[in-house]
């Protein structure tokens, strides 16, 4: 929560959380949210950043605990059982980013999703 000043009242915690959750859920642009909540564009950006930091600080110790040695062994056993990769504790995945087709590239950048893309890992 922020404190009120002589010049202006602070934006309430409830409104800050509502704005951040709407941004995270909808992917709306900051400009659109600034119009919807009647708050300045740069203020919306700052609120989203600050609120996400506070949510992370509060929830990460609860939900992102570092496993102990038994936890790592359990993860490796489950991964081996499901995916048949022994001694593995996880895997990464790529993301397709749409791009304009480079000239004279043919189907080099064309993917199975039906558009030209670059895969970022």
């Amino acid at each position: 929560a922020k404190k009120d000043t002589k010049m202006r009242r602070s934006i309430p915690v409830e409104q800050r959380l509502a704005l951040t959750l709407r941004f995270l859920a909808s992917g709306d642009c900051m400009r659109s949210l600034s119009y919807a909540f009647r708050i300045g564009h740069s203020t919306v950006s700052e609120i989203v950043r600050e609120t996400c930091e506070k949510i992370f600080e509060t929830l990460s110790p609860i939900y992102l605990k570092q496993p102990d040695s038994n936890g790592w062994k359990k993860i490796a056993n489950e991964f081996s059982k499901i995916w048949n990769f022994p001694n593995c504790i996880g895997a990464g995945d790529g993301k397709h980013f749409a791009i304009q087709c480079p000239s004279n590239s043919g189907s080099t950048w064309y993917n199975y999703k039906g558009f030209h893309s670059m895969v970022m890992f």
Side-chain angles (χ1 to χ4, degrees):
K2 300 282 184 168
K3 294 182 181 178
D4 293 340
T5 64
K6 291 182 182 180
M7 300 296 285
R8 63 180 170 78
R9 291 185 6 201
S10 64
I11 299 168
V13 174
E14 296 83 5
Q15 190 173 5
R16 291 170 158 282
L17 182 59
L19 180 121
T20 302
L21 292 176
R22 180 151 173 203
F23 171 75
L24 295 172
S26 69
D28 237 354
C29 67
M30 300 286 181
R31 181 86 50 207
S32 171
L33 289 171
S34 73
Y35 292 134
F37 283 83
R38 296 182 181 192
I39 298 173
H41 173 68
S42 61
T43 307
V44 168
S45 175
E46 186 177 334
I47 288 172
V48 168
R49 184 187 55 77
E50 288 174 350
T51 307
C52 285
E53 283 178 7
K54 291 298 180 189
I55 290 171
F56 181 80
E57 286 173 15
T58 305
L59 297 179
S60 66
I62 299 167
Y63 295 101
L64 297 176
K65 289 183 179 177
Q66 182 80 14
D68 58 3
S69 60
N70 290 332
W72 288 119
K73 288 176 184 176
K74 181 181 176 194
I75 291 168
N77 288 335
E78 289 174 2
F79 204 91
S80 178
K81 188 170 86 176
I82 295 170
W83 300 107
N84 199 24
F85 279 105
N87 303 316
C88 184
I89 57 170
D93 195 7
K95 168 79 174 140
H96 284 270
F97 287 94
I99 61 170
Q100 281 187 340
C101 178
S103 58
N104 301 321
S105 67
S107 62
T108 305
W109 300 97
Y110 197 73
N111 66 31
Y112 68 94
K113 294 183 176 196
F115 58 92
H116 296 279
S117 69
M118 180 178 284
V119 179
M120 302 297 259
F121 186 74

